[in-house]
Structures are given as structure tokens and as C-alpha cells.
Amino acid sequence: MTIEPDENGSSRARSRFWQSASGFWRGASAWRVWVLCVLLVAVVILQLYVQFRFNYWNRDFFDALESRDSARLRGQAFLLVPLCIGSITLAVASVWGRMTVQRKWREWLTGKVIDYWVEDDRYARLAAVQSEQQIPEYRIAEDVRIATDAPIDLALGLVSALLSAVIFIQVLWTVGGDIALPVGSHSVRIPGYLVVGVALYSSIVTIAMMTVGAPLTRLVQIKNQAEAELITAAHQLRDIGEGIAPQGQRPEVCRDLRSTLRTTMDQWRRLCWQLMRTTIVSHGNSLLAPIIGLVLCAPKFLSGAMTLGELTQAAAAFTLVQASFNWIVDNYGRIADWMSSLGRVGSLLLSLDRLNRETPPQQAESATLPTGSVKLLSRE
């Protein structure tokens, strides 16, 4: 049966993870990684500049279309080529840099966790603790990958969202301007009304996602634990087939395997219902955001205060700004997966720490592996 994690234990596990994982960002050779990270931020800034140019290209293209100016349309068509080439080049560079940092961090941390697990025969001693459902193989192979991949993606995405909001809020403020709303016999003028509109809309969507998606991290963690236990149950059946375990245990192991499979499917069902609820918010937002931008711009366009090009420019900027404000909405599922894996790796390290306080047993007769010295991962 899968045990649901308690909040205090999860906090300790996450703290333990960062105690170990942060070592990658320190030391004599860490400057190479920091240089690569600076280059990645520079790529993000250049991507936003190209996006900014695309926003103005969008305005000029539709203005030329509205005025039926073929010369301007040809000029915009020629301008589109270098913009596309620049955007594709920067996207490729971003993928290379991001995955390089992720690969190096994963390689470093996985090696340290493996060394710590093997040192002083902790791998055998941990396996002997029947009450611990650690499944270290799964946590080292899969959870370390997620725990080191996601922070890079999320950090770069957050930097892009913040800078994008700063840049395109200025576009909304400039293009949208003020609007006067009739209230009885008077009118109320709202300065930068598109900025006010995007802030209100984004707040509503973010609050909705935080409310609906609150249980997601816990459910992902429980599901991952169930998946790991299913793998362990299958390994026990394989051990019987290979003669490592006695044949007499086969009926019991088969029952455990089927029971674990049912538990895993139950957790998947719970996660499915939760993801359905969060999808209502995220997908609804992706459908409504462009429409809301057009609706807010429509009064000024119909009054002649805004051209067709400015209408499309403002609507596109509205979508970009709300995406920046709703960064947490778009990444809620990824954050939940990351927090779950981060806690599971930290929990494994905490269990290995507890073995440090015990007297090391005699080495198992079936395994004589070299031990390493991994003081960085030890609390001592």
C-alpha cells in the first residue's frame, strides 16, 4: 500500500535535496556552468527582442493590408525572412544550452547519489529495512532526472515571463491608451485600460488554478511512489525466475504484484480526475485570452481611434502579457512533478543519512563493491 507523504517530511526532504544538489553550482569548475547560464539568459533576451519586432511587424502588416498598400506589404514580406531566421536560430541555441546544463547537473548529482548509496554498503543495509519503501533505483534513475531538468526549464521560463511582461505592458499602455466608460450621466476615464484589464483577467485565472490545482503535487508524489512499488514487485518476480529467491514465494509475490498494479491504477485514476479539473482552467484560459484582448480593443477600433494593425498588435501583446502573468498556471503540472521528484530524492538521502547513525554491519557475502568518499552528500 502506498503511504501518503506528510507535509513536514516533504519539507525536510526538499531541504535535504538542495543541500546536496547545490554543490553542482559551487566549486572550482562551477564557473563554466554559470557562464553557460549567462549565455542562456542572453538568448532569452534576444528572443524577446525578436518577439517584440514580430509584434510591430504584425501591426505594420495589417495596417498595410487595411490600406491596400502593395509596396508596404512587399516590404513586410521581406522583413519576415530575417525575423524567422533569427527566431529559429535562437530557439535552437536555447535548446542546446538548456539541455547541456540539465545533462551536466543530472550526471553530477546522479553520480554523487550512487556513490553515497554504495558507500559503507548502504545499498544492502537500506534494502534490509523492510519498512522503507525507498526503491532507490527508480529515484536515482527517474526522480533525479526530473529534479534536475525542471529547475532549468522553469527558471528560464520565469525570466522570460518577467521580461516579457515588462516589455509588452509598455506596448499595451502605449497602443491602448485611455478609455472613457459611461457611468450614468458621467464618464469614468481609465488610464492604460488594457493593462488594467490584463491584470484583472490574469488574477482571476491564477486564483482559479491555485484553488483547483492545490492537491496536484501530493497526488503526483503518491502516483510516482505507486509506480516505483510496481517496478519493485515485478523485480521480485524476476528474482524468483532467476533462482535468486525461492520458488515457494511465487504465489505471494504474484498476489503482491497484482495488488500493487490495482493500487497504481487507482492512483492514476485520482490523478486523472485532478488533471481534468486543472485542464478546465488552463484550456479555458488559452481559448479566452486572445478573445478577451480583441473584445477590450474593439470599442476603440470601432470608434476609429485604433487602426486594424494596432488592434492586432494590442491583442497579441495582451495574450503575451497574460501568459507572463499566468506563468504559474501554464507550468502548474510541471511544478507539481518537480516538487514530487525533488522530495523523493531528498527522502532517499535522508534514509541514507539515518544509516550513518547505525553501526555498519559486516559486508554482505554476495557483494563486495568499492566505496567512495562523498562528504558533500553527508550531513557530517
Side-chain angles (χ1 to χ4, degrees):
M1 179 179 296
T2 303
I3 301 174
E4 299 195 8
D6 65 277
E7 193 62 35
N8 291 333
S10 296
S11 298
R12 291 195 301 271
R14 292 165 189 163
S15 175
R16 183 65 181 90
F17 170 86
W18 286 116
Q19 178 188 354
S20 299
S22 61
F24 174 74
W25 302 95
R26 302 191 301 268
S29 61
W31 67 270
R32 297 185 181 91
V33 179
W34 284 108
V35 169
L36 187 54
C37 289
V38 171
L39 293 176
L40 278 172
V41 173
V43 168
V44 169
I45 294 173
L46 290 173
Q47 285 178 311
L48 288 175
Y49 173 75
V50 173
Q51 197 171 42
F52 178 77
R53 294 301 306 157
F54 263 117
N55 185 259
Y56 274 87
W57 179 92
N58 200 48
R59 182 200 65 183
D60 295 339
F61 177 82
F62 280 97
D63 279 344
L65 197 64
E66 183 181 29
S67 62
R68 294 175 172 81
D69 188 337
S70 58
R72 288 180 63 190
L73 283 173
R74 282 195 299 271
Q76 293 304 307
F78 287 129
L79 180 59
L80 182 62
V81 175
L83 287 176
C84 288
I85 293 175
S87 181
I88 293 171
T89 302
L90 290 170
V92 171
S94 177
V95 170
W96 175 83
R98 172 172 49 83
M99 294 193 70
T100 298
V101 176
Q102 290 170 330
R103 172 174 52 83
K104 289 183 177 295
W105 194 7
R106 180 189 179 187
E107 180 182 12
W108 184 91
L109 183 59
T110 301
K112 295 298 183 182
V113 175
I114 289 175
D115 288 345
Y116 194 44
W117 181 40
V118 170
E119 186 184 47
D120 293 332
D121 286 340
R122 292 188 186 92
Y123 70 98
R125 294 157 60 196
L126 184 65
V129 182
Q130 298 299 323
S131 61
E132 294 284 353
Q133 296 289 337
Q134 291 292 347
I135 308 94
E137 301 89 345
Y138 183 89
R139 301 193 180 196
I140 293 172
E142 182 65 12
D143 288 319
V144 169
R145 179 188 66 80
I146 297 174
T148 52
D149 277 5
I152 306 301
D153 290 338
L154 294 173
L156 289 175
L158 182 58
V159 170
S160 178
L162 292 174
L163 294 176
S164 181
V166 171
I167 293 170
F168 289 100
I169 280 176
Q170 297 179 19
V171 174
L172 284 180
W173 191 279
T174 303
V175 177
D178 303 345
I179 192 171
L181 298 178
V183 179
S185 58
H186 304 280
S187 63
V188 177
R189 182 167 295 277
I190 302 177
Y193 80 102
L194 289 179
V195 177
V196 176
V198 74
L200 290 175
Y201 173 77
S202 301
S203 298
I204 293 171
V205 174
T206 300
I207 292 172
M209 179 58 81
M210 295 292 290
T211 302
V212 172
L216 185 58
T217 300
R218 181 177 57 86
L219 290 177
V220 169
Q221 188 167 353
I222 297 171
K223 186 270 298 181
N224 288 345
Q225 177 69 22
E227 291 281 6
E229 291 176 8
L230 179 61
I231 294 173
T232 298
H235 284 172
Q236 290 174 349
L237 185 60
R238 186 188 64 184
D239 289 344
I240 293 175
E242 295 176 351
I244 299 175
Q247 286 287 336
Q249 295 182 0
R250 179 177 176 180
E252 180 182 356
V253 169
C254 287
R255 285 195 301 270
D256 290 343
L257 179 59
R258 293 184 180 278
S259 175
T260 305
L261 176 61
R262 287 193 297 270
T263 300
T264 303
M265 293 303 100
D266 288 342
Q267 300 306 330
W268 265 103
R269 189 178 299 109
R270 293 175 63 189
L271 180 61
C272 175
W273 282 106
Q274 178 60 43
L275 290 176
M276 289 167 62
R277 289 190 287 269
T278 55
T279 299
I280 292 174
V281 179
S282 61
H283 191 69
N285 172 58
S286 66
L287 293 175
L288 287 177
I291 298 174
I292 295 295
L294 289 171
V295 169
L296 290 176
C297 294
K300 300 199 75 170
F301 175 73
L302 294 175
S303 68
M306 185 179 287
T307 66
L308 178 61
E310 290 173 335
L311 171 71
T312 56
Q313 180 189 21
F318 184 95
T319 303
L320 291 170
V321 172
Q322 72 81 29
S324 299
F325 285 172
N326 288 328
W327 176 85
I328 193 170
V329 174
D330 296 334
N331 292 278
Y332 203 88
R334 185 76 187 276
I335 293 172
D337 280 336
W338 172 51
M339 295 296 286
S340 171
S341 293
L342 184 148
R344 286 166 54 77
V345 176
S347 178
L348 172 62
L349 292 173
L350 286 174
S351 295
L352 295 175
D353 288 339
R354 285 194 291 270
L355 295 177
N356 290 342
R357 297 189 289 269
E358 301 174 2
T359 302
Q362 296 294 326
Q363 290 191 346
E365 295 179 358
S366 60
T368 56
L369 296 178
T371 60
S373 177
V374 193
K375 300 304 181 184
L376 177 62
L377 283 166
S378 177
R379 288 183 177 274
E380 300 175 358

